[in-house]
Amino acid sequence: MKKYLLSLAVGAALFTACDDEHKEIVNTPNQEIEVDMSDFYTYTYENEVGRVAADGKQCYSMRVLNRQLDENPGLHQKMYNIERNVRKFIASKKPDGVGGGNGNGGGGDDGGGGSDPVDDGLGVINIPVYVHVIYSNANENISDAQINSQINVLNADYNASNNDLNNIPAEFAGVVGNAQVNFTLAGVTRKASSRTSWGTRDEMKFASNGGVDVVTPESALNIWVCNIGGGILGYAQFPGGSASTDGVVISPQYFGTTGYVSAPFDKGRTATHEVGHYLNLRHIWGDGRCRQDDFVADTPSSDGPNYGCPAYPTVNCKSTDMTMNYMDYTDDACMYMFSEGQKARMRALFASGGARESIIL
């Protein structure tokens, strides 16, 4: 009986859950970490508008997530567990006295990443990339040069070495995040098809549908380049979804900076945005107006997306919008930063036990 009671005590010390407050406490060798999960959400209940130009072009990632949640009852819990691990890892790397919650988007110290750089011990992360080009005409069969131009943009944007970084206003200059993520082209697949548009139900990801099967999703990023149709720029799968559909889909005219590209989305930022979703970033406004957050403390709250090239400052929810963030819906030429908090969220996926740890093993 004593041994049984002792084991119960040890178990309680190692893990304590407080369901009524959605808080979890975990012991580490140096400190006890508490993370607040009360704000976590997966579904986007409001009518989502997309990243659009005058002709109605848009990002579809959140609608795809809603569909996947409907089709897979276990996905919500899986994403909850991924988010909990992300917050625990970030909290474990913060200085003593800094909270382990997600923050409220106002830039406070209790955020899921906050604004102060911390050493997460992961070093520079390299992600192999497989690009699958599915085309019905010569334009859609984009050149190697166009593919390479996109890889170059990803490397610049995820290492804060993009040449438009100096456009960031002083208000946000102190929270610019260098994610230290490199992308290496591992292979290109080309497949001719009579199909002129593919939609958003992942049919391009299966050879049985005339598409291309995913390649080693546990260790590489897959990008399908094909005409999605419906004015959609692209969409991504969040961590936690099926391995068979893991990756990013982008229409060819919004991929890269040269060749078959279409303004104002001709600077490769659609891929930067969608890969952000693949690495667990939400839209900067949280897809829920001022009431909902993107789980990042140093990105200000906003009541919705911004379009085009908005004037600075644009004020919503009593704060200045970070319209130049890659996870907003502005034109390619007017987005040029991730924040430190976003960097922390992305990199936490590669930590021990993280959803994308196997990419760097």
Side-chain angles (χ1 to χ4, degrees):
M1 177 62 75
K2 289 183 179 179
K3 289 183 179 179
Y4 174 73
L5 292 175
L6 179 60
S7 66
L8 284 179
V10 171
L14 288 175
F15 181 84
T16 302
C18 185
D19 291 337
D20 58 336
E21 295 182 2
H22 301 276
K23 292 184 178 180
E24 300 188 9
I25 302 173
V26 178
N27 274 354
T28 69
N30 299 317
Q31 62 178 338
E32 189 176 76
I33 299 172
E34 181 179 287
V35 291
D36 183 357
M37 294 293 294
S38 61
D39 68 326
F40 180 70
Y41 69 95
T42 48
Y43 275 99
T44 303
Y45 291 102
E46 295 197 16
N47 292 328
E48 185 200 358
V49 289
R51 185 174 178 231
V52 297
D55 52 4
K57 294 179 172 55
Q58 57 186 296
C59 158
Y60 224 72
S61 293
M62 298 310 294
R63 290 190 183 185
V64 169
L65 175 59
N66 284 350
R67 171 180 62 77
Q68 292 177 334
L69 288 162
D70 287 339
E71 296 171 351
N72 181 0
L75 181 57
H76 172 85
Q77 186 60 48
K78 193 169 183 180
M79 293 182 69
Y80 180 96
N81 293 338
I82 289 170
E83 180 67 21
R84 181 187 59 203
N85 289 337
V86 163
R87 296 186 187 189
K88 288 177 183 176
F89 179 76
I90 292 172
S92 73
K93 298 300 178 180
K94 291 180 179 179
D96 291 342
V98 177
N102 70 291
N104 58 9
D109 288 337
D110 61 345
S115 58
D116 296 325
V118 295
D119 182 6
D120 57 22
L122 296 173
V124 175
I125 293 166
N126 184 68
I127 301 179
V129 181
Y130 289 95
V131 176
H132 311 298
V133 181
I134 309 173
Y135 60 95
S136 63
N137 58 55
N139 282 334
E140 293 176 358
N141 187 17
I142 60 174
S143 66
D144 289 344
Q146 185 169 342
I147 294 170
N148 288 327
S149 74
Q150 182 61 78
I151 299 299
N152 290 338
V153 170
L154 288 173
N155 281 319
D157 290 351
Y158 280 81
N159 286 278
S161 61
N162 46 303
N163 58 19
D164 48 4
L165 195 67
N166 59 357
N167 293 330
I168 295 172
E171 179 178 4
F172 299 123
V175 298
V176 173
N178 174 0
Q180 294 181 284
V181 176
N182 291 331
F183 299 85
T184 304
L185 186 62
V188 177
T189 305
R190 298 180 182 276
K191 188 167 186 178
S193 172
S194 60
R195 187 165 177 170
T196 57
S197 64
W198 288 87
T200 60
R201 298 195 65 85
D202 293 329
E203 292 179 336
M204 73 290 292
K205 300 177 181 180
F206 297 93
S208 58
N209 295 327
V212 179
D213 290 335
V214 67
V215 178
T216 59
E218 70 281 356
S219 60
L221 162 64
N222 283 249
I223 302 178
W224 288 264
V225 181
C226 59
N227 185 44
I228 301 171
I232 298 169
L233 279 75
Y235 69 90
Q237 179 169 293
F238 283 88
S242 171
S244 65
T245 54
D246 197 22
V248 170
V249 183
I250 299 174
S251 290
Q253 63 269 46
Y254 313 118
F255 190 78
T257 63
T258 187
Y260 179 55
V261 291
S262 179
F265 305 118
D266 55 351
K267 296 186 180 301
R269 263 58 192 270
T270 294
T272 300
H273 178 103
E274 300 302 343
V275 172
H277 287 315
Y278 168 84
L279 295 177
N280 207 33
L281 296 186
R282 301 298 179 101
H283 289 135
I284 197 94
W285 66 97
D287 296 287
R289 308 302 181 183
C290 301
R291 303 187 307 274
Q292 202 152 278
D293 192 45
D294 63 349
F295 310 143
V296 178
D298 58 9
T299 58
S301 295
S302 178
D303 69 344
N306 292 281
Y307 301 101
C309 289
Y312 175 83
T314 297
V315 178
N316 285 295
C317 304
K318 300 180 181 180
S319 60
T320 303
D321 280 3
M322 194 181 281
T323 61
M324 66 294 305
N325 193 284
Y326 294 126
M327 302 313 294
D328 206 333
Y329 276 168
T330 52
D331 291 351
D332 278 18
C334 300
M335 53 168 58
Y336 24 79
M337 70 169 285
F338 288 118
S339 74
E340 280 289 342
Q342 289 173 318
K343 165 189 172 179
R345 280 186 64 78
M346 291 189 285
R347 290 177 61 84
L349 293 177
F350 300 94
S352 178
R356 301 208 182 278
E357 176 193 13
S358 58
I359 289 179
I360 62 173
L361 289 179

